[in-house]
Amino acid sequence: MEEKKFDVQSLIGFFLIGGLLIWMLYNNSFENNEAEDKQDTIEQVETVPQETNTSQKDVAIQEMDSTARARVQESLGTFGYSATLASASNETTKLANDVLDLNIDNKGGYISEARMTQFKTYDSIPVYLIKDGNASLNLNFTTSDGRVINTKDMYFEPTLSESGNNQVLSMKLKVSESEYLEYVYVMKPGEYMLDFSIRSQGLRDVISSSNAVNLDWQLKGYRHSKSISYENRYTELAWEYEDGDDDYLGQGELKDDEADDISWVAYKQHFFSSILLTDTPFATGKFISKNLVEDEEIDTVYTKEFATTLPLELKGGELNYNMNWYYGPTDYKILNDYDRNLDEVVPLGWGIFGWINKYVFIPFFAFLSGFLPSYGIAIIVMTIVVRIVLSPVTYKSYLSQAKMKVLKPEINELNEKYKDNAMKKQQETMKLYSKAGASPMSGCLPALMQIPVFYALFQFFPSAFQLRQKGFLWADDLSSYDTIAELPFTIPFYGDHVSLFPILASIAIFIYMMMTTGQTMQNNQQPGMPNMKFIMYLSPIMMLFFFNNYASGLSLYYFVSNLITIGIMLVIKYAIIDEEKIHAKIQENKKKPKKQGKFAKKMQDIMEQAEQQKNKK
């Protein structure tokens, strides 16, 4: 599986979380691609066209005279037959089960409306993935007599039937009663996934084999969430290629890419996705994504516009593709159950971060939320468990800090004694650390060990569909920001509202940093290094701004996590660690001969040789 790229927000979050952990123990994170200067419109992708009055597009012919018939025949050639049928009108056929409602238009034979029956938007409107012409599916090909056909402008004849409990809709674009291009939709009970096939019969001599048959799929994503910027950050075009690798377009104003052997293409709108899958991989694919949010302060209908072009291969002069459509939640469990690698649509993080989410946090959170009374309580319980599991790491970190604190007077003596000889001072300091069994790095390593866990959770909460529109305390939606006050103006990078959970999390982080580094910060300040006190104040402020528009479930986690960590630190400090015993132990270690490792010995030899060379001069 190809590793996912960082988007801007994830990259900022990664470095912010990692930086905080390392700064805390120092004395003891969307790719940020600037949008290229491209055209303001997607030239390769037409916006879904409005109805026109041309003879080719809007000729309804239930009582057509011979002149009109001849005109249509001249315009459409053999496909003019389709415009003479009773189905040549803007009627729709409905397919519905208990989770999904679809309307399929005669014109174009494609889904003109797709509605989630069990979900609402942030303002209580039904969730539509397709409505009012925001999407289209078109086959573009050339006939043997040189005419260019676009199926989105043609009229299909519908036939609705049942096969067991399944609804089967055949949409035929006819050349004659026995020659046609056919779309077949099969809807199953309780499923977001439809079977979909494209096939032709008797068109061997109608479709030109010397020109490409292209499938063009376009969609403009509707806004569904309270925060347009937050939803847009997780709205993107993704695809799978070459037997399991996956990739996606970034967050730029206009992005495009190509790939080979495409097995599915997904238009992800944060918590809902439209996905086209195929049993026969498409040889190539071209993808375009355009950001439609020009100003986040202005209310908008759409987030991004997506377009895909996929070539279809003729076999024996005919088309025969078995595919699927998925219109439904971007829910890891639902997508994973299809066993088509669709779980990669959910952005759980690359590498070890995704592994932790898939095999630890997702199943564990599902277990907790299955019996606890609310998702907020499930987050708190999961936080407690995570902090308990990581408490040995916290203990080692604090123990290292305590050792360094005990050694501080002796280090100060060495600094004063060898203040004019930096190399000798370094040598003696390393000897002291070695004899005492202490190391400044032993405090940083535990922090680094925690980064995969913290970043995995940073990816988990924004992608957890279960949190969508689930409230806790004053937050009415744990998948979006909580609001305790609306501002009459917008603060850059902060927003037009005040969220309480990020404030509480920032305060908790500040207290934790004061406990771990505040007392010795200025004493450890090295010439030429950044002002550590400034960093200590800046970090919580950065967290406050960064999380104000993020999921309140994530801020709740960090708030509770830091409260628990503060509690664990207090217990370690006053009930477990005795600094006098540590000091006595260090003094005993200093009296014992210490066997140096090969690396340490080599480093010491190098430093001694350098010192000797310096003295000779």
Side-chain angles (χ1 to χ4, degrees), residues 510-538:
F510 178 74
I511 294 173
Y512 172 74
M513 294 181 73
M514 284 291 293
M515 289 178 58
T516 56
T517 63
Q519 295 178 351
T520 59
M521 188 172 294
Q522 292 304 317
N523 292 333
N524 291 338
Q525 184 69 42
Q526 299 294 325
M529 294 296 292
N531 187 296
M532 296 297 293
K533 191 171 185 180
F534 173 76
I535 296 295
M536 189 183 72
Y537 287 112
L538 179 63

Side-chain angles (χ1 to χ4, degrees), residues 104-243:
I104 295 89
D105 274 7
N106 288 2
K107 187 175 184 180
Y110 177 59
I111 299 167
S112 60
E113 186 172 290
R115 178 175 68 91
M116 309 289 101
T117 61
Q118 298 183 345
F119 305 104
K120 302 288 184 181
T121 65
Y122 72 101
D123 50 358
S124 300
I125 297 173
V127 172
Y128 287 92
L129 297 182
I130 302 175
K131 186 181 180 183
D132 297 334
N134 73 311
S136 72
L137 181 76
N138 179 55
L139 292 191
N140 174 275
F141 55 88
T142 303
T143 62
S144 55
D145 57 359
R147 289 179 171 84
V148 176
I149 299 297
N150 288 292
T151 60
K152 65 183 180 182
D153 300 325
M154 312 292 287
Y155 290 99
F156 289 66
E157 184 176 71
T159 303
L160 183 62
S161 61
E162 293 186 357
S163 176
N165 293 325
N166 301 335
Q167 302 169 62
V168 181
L169 175 62
S170 168
M171 303 292 292
K172 292 180 179 178
L173 175 59
K174 292 185 173 181
V175 170
S176 68
E177 285 304 308
S178 60
E179 299 169 309
Y180 49 80
L181 173 69
E182 182 181 29
Y183 297 164
V184 179
Y185 300 86
V186 180
M187 174 174 273
K188 303 173 183 177
E191 287 281 351
Y192 294 103
M193 184 84 77
L194 291 84
D195 292 342
F196 175 66
S197 61
I198 298 177
R199 58 183 293 265
S200 64
Q201 178 173 304
L203 301 187
R204 181 194 307 266
D205 298 324
V206 176
I207 301 177
S208 172
S209 59
S210 60
N211 298 94
V213 179
N214 289 322
L215 184 155
D216 297 315
W217 177 33
Q218 305 164 22
L219 181 141
K220 290 195 293 186
Y222 277 112
R223 173 187 180 180
H224 298 133
S225 300
K226 180 168 57 175
S227 172
I228 180 68
S229 61
Y230 188 61
E231 179 176 16
N232 206 28
R233 189 178 304 150
Y234 293 95
T235 297
E236 60 193 9
L237 190 159
W239 62 91
E240 183 186 61
Y241 66 103
E242 295 180 356
D243 296 326

Side-chain angles (χ1 to χ4, degrees), residues 266-336:
Y267 296 165
K268 182 171 73 72
Q269 300 168 239
H270 195 185
F271 284 128
F272 297 95
S273 293
S274 305
I275 307 175
L276 175 63
L277 307 93
T278 178
D279 292 343
T280 304
F282 304 111
T284 62
K286 296 181 179 180
F287 313 102
I288 298 175
S289 173
K290 179 183 179 184
N291 185 16
L292 301 179
V293 182
E294 297 180 359
D295 189 342
E296 295 176 355
E297 298 178 25
I298 300 176
D299 194 18
T300 185
V301 177
Y302 302 108
T303 54
K304 285 188 174 72
E305 181 178 5
F306 302 123
T308 298
T309 298
L310 302 164
L312 303 184
E313 295 181 3
L314 294 169
K315 296 182 178 179
E318 303 285 358
L319 291 172
N320 190 6
Y321 276 82
N322 294 319
M323 308 183 195
N324 298 94
W325 285 112
Y326 176 86
Y327 295 102
T330 313
D331 186 317
Y332 176 83
K333 184 180 185 307
I334 294 175
L335 294 173
N336 189 53

Side-chain angles (χ1 to χ4, degrees), residues 7-40:
D7 59 48
V8 176
Q9 295 294 334
S10 295
L11 191 62
I12 293 173
F14 177 79
F15 283 112
L16 184 57
I17 293 167
L20 280 173
L21 288 169
I22 294 172
W23 278 119
M24 288 179 208
L25 298 168
Y26 177 81
N27 292 310
N28 319 224
S29 15
F30 310 157
E31 61 198 10
N32 186 17
N33 292 330
E34 293 290 338
E36 297 179 1
D37 185 16
K38 298 184 179 180
Q39 298 178 355
D40 292 335

Side-chain angles (χ1 to χ4, degrees), residues 49-60:
Q50 300 295 321
E51 300 291 336
T52 65
N53 294 319
T54 65
S55 60
Q56 178 175 341
K57 294 182 179 178
D58 280 322
V59 181

Side-chain angles (χ1 to χ4, degrees), residues 92 207 262 444 508:
T92 61
I207 301 177
I262 311 299
C444 293

